[in-house]
Amino acid sequence: MPFERISLIGHKKAVNCLFIRENILLSGSDDNTVRVWDLRTNKTIKCLTKFVNPVDSLCSHDNLNVYTASADEISHFDLRATEGVIVQSPTASLFNNGGTDINCIDMDDTGSMLVAADDNGAVHVCDLTAFQAGSGSDSGGYTSSHREPHTALVNSVLCGVSTDSFYSGGFDSLLCCWDRSRDRGVRPLKQHLITSDELLATTLGATSAGEQARQCINPPFIHQLQYVLPNRAGLACAVGDGDIKIYACNENRGASKASGTEDDTALDNSEMCANELRLLCHAPVAHDGMVTALTALGPHRNTLLSTGVDGLVRTWRVGYDEDATAREMQKPVSASAARRQRRNKARTSGPPSVHSHPVVMQPGAVLAHGRKINMLAGGEGGDGRFFIADLSPAIASCVFT
């Protein structure tokens, strides 16, 4: 599948981070600026300046309130408060981490919660509703910090449609699901230690010598997290050993609760599930070397893009294998097993889900970008457009043709 590519020119140094929402793209750079791009014209409409250090992460839920992480500081910019293109100072400082750099930030779809993680493995949760209301004399009034369970730098945090849960992963190879529901504070709900070959380890009880060697050379650190599948039912992990792994997540629980379709009993049953995240599918050695970034395309998040230190952008079709389920149902079974199948079919009637169907990743087109890529960003529209940030100042805008 061929690609068309144009360049967005404006930054003076390498671009570290991207965030896309509808027709707006945010980019943060080593030139100590953030640019706000109108993707209908591919032009800069705002430039946030006066950062003392490079901008490492950014996010927004409405394209009007922008949050940035630069060194140990998280800042808030209200773009409605300025009329010109150049914005020389933030509207407010949200959080200062006391000298420890913040690596990543993300916020939920409602704009009520922002999560950050730092070099020491601490996870910080900011209540944006309290922040905007002016609660507390400093960040201690609306921010809680958690030094466990991570023991090393956290590379990625991922929020969702509600403030009930979020995910984190980093250089300790620990994937953690956090629970923030029903006023019980923030606590780790599920944890999973990623290994180089979980499927082989599950089958044989230990990894092969070849896999152990690969793990020593490229440890299975978590570099980025990304939702895939409808209702964000899957959690894709970019792993340092070149693998991509997709786990079942409870993000659909937050979506159903937000829409008022799930009761407290269902929540209790969900929380009593196994304390490890369940592996759905696995693309071993998806890249030659570490996988550094992921993004999902389309309203159903069925197209996953991945990149690594090999300078390639790979496309993957992620979906449910309905044929495999049908074949399994056609196998001869005992009478008791047949009854169980009928009960399971009744419980899982309706659209495919991670509970009723296997999940598969099918490789697709490959784009040879040629340089190490820092970040990918893609939207939920159907145009197939995505963006590449690498070690150059330019942002590559690509689209499937």
Side-chain angles (χ1 to χ4, degrees):
M1 184 182 296
F3 299 85
E4 286 185 358
R5 177 167 22 185
I6 62 173
S7 295
L8 306 183
I9 305 297
H11 285 292
K12 305 302 181 185
K13 294 183 179 180
V15 176
N16 298 319
C17 51
L18 299 171
F19 182 89
I20 186 171
R21 181 180 174 86
E22 297 173 349
N23 291 316
I24 297 296
L25 177 72
L26 308 176
S27 59
S29 170
D30 277 346
D31 63 8
N32 301 356
T33 68
V34 168
R35 286 182 175 262
V36 183
W37 305 82
D38 185 341
L39 297 179
R40 293 166 294 189
T41 62
N42 295 328
K43 302 294 184 182
T44 299
I45 56 175
K46 293 282 186 181
C47 184
L48 317 183
T49 63
K50 300 299 183 180
F51 290 95
V52 178
N53 297 285
V55 179
D56 296 315
S57 187
L58 40 70
C59 61
S60 175
H61 79 286
D62 59 2
N63 292 334
L64 299 173
N65 293 279
V66 176
Y67 294 86
T68 63
S70 176
D72 62 350
E73 187 85 17
I74 301 177
S75 301
H76 168 231
F77 293 82
D78 185 347
L79 300 186
R80 296 165 295 189
T82 58
E83 296 182 357
V85 174
I86 304 298
V87 181
Q88 296 192 0
S89 60
T91 307
S93 172
L94 175 64
F95 177 68
N96 184 284
N97 202 27
T100 302
D101 283 358
I102 295 168
N103 296 308
C104 50
I105 59 175
D106 195 27
M107 63 194 306
D108 72 293
D109 289 359
T110 68
S112 302
M113 173 184 72
L114 183 143
V115 179
D118 65 29
D119 278 356
N120 292 336
V123 174
H124 311 278
V125 182
C126 302
D127 185 337
L128 295 181
T129 302
F131 165 69
Q132 291 160 1
S135 299
S137 58
D138 54 26
S139 62
Y142 48 80
T143 301
S144 60
S145 298
H146 309 273
R147 309 295 172 182
E148 296 178 347
H150 287 291
T151 58
L153 179 151
V154 174
N155 277 318
S156 185
V157 291
L158 188 64
C159 301
V161 296
S162 75
T163 61
D164 281 348
S165 62
F166 62 90
Y167 295 87
S168 61
F171 276 7
D172 55 4
S173 301
L174 185 68
L175 174 60
C176 186
C177 172
W178 297 77
D179 177 63
R180 193 175 178 261
S181 63
R182 297 190 292 177
D183 299 323
R184 289 176 300 185
V186 181
R187 63 189 179 97
L189 176 62
K190 297 181 181 180
Q191 300 175 40
H192 183 82
L193 186 65
I194 290 185
T195 62
S196 274
D197 194 338
E198 292 176 85
L199 296 180
L200 186 61
T202 300
T203 304
L204 302 180
T207 57
S208 66
E211 290 300 329
Q212 290 174 352
R214 182 162 67 97
Q215 182 172 352
C216 291
I217 297 171
N218 294 308
F221 299 153
I222 300 171
H223 289 271
Q224 193 176 6
L225 305 174
Q226 177 64 56
Y227 288 122
V228 292
L229 297 172
N231 296 320
R232 309 184 195 189
L235 181 69
C237 298
V239 186
D241 59 6
D243 294 359
I244 300 172
K245 298 182 178 182
I246 298 179
Y247 296 85
C249 64
N250 63 347
E251 182 54 35
N252 52 346
R253 182 192 74 170
S256 57
K257 187 185 177 190
S259 62
T261 60
E262 191 164 17
D263 59 21
D264 285 342
T265 302
L267 286 173
D268 288 337
N269 291 338
S270 173
E271 290 179 357
M272 292 190 324
C273 291
N275 287 330
E276 281 202 354
L277 293 155
R278 180 167 60 93
L279 182 66
L280 296 176
C281 65
H282 175 202
V285 199
H287 288 269
D288 185 11
M290 70 180 70
V291 184
T292 55
L294 301 169
T295 193
L297 301 181
H300 301 299
R301 298 175 176 266
N302 288 123
T303 299
L304 178 68
L305 305 183
S306 65
T307 189
V309 294
D310 55 9
L312 300 178
V313 177
R314 295 188 179 274
T315 63
W316 307 85
R317 181 68 178 174
V318 183
Y320 298 110
D321 190 348
E322 298 184 50
D323 291 339
T325 303
R327 289 192 301 271
E328 188 67 25
M329 294 294 291
Q330 292 171 359
K331 290 181 179 179
V333 294
S334 64
S336 59
R339 286 194 295 272
R340 286 195 300 272
Q341 284 185 352
R342 286 193 294 270
R343 288 196 298 268
N344 290 337
K345 185 175 181 181
R347 283 197 295 265
T348 59
S349 60
S353 72
V354 295
H355 306 293
S356 62
H357 292 76
V359 174
V360 293
M361 291 177 63
Q362 298 175 331
V366 179
L367 171 64
H369 183 69
R371 295 193 217 48
K372 178 184 177 295
I373 296 172
N374 292 330
M375 183 62 69
L376 296 172
E380 296 187 359
D383 59 1
R385 193 177 186 187
F386 61 97
F387 300 85
I388 300 173
D390 58 25
L391 300 179
S392 71
I395 301 169
S397 170
C398 305
V399 65
F400 297 112
T401 58

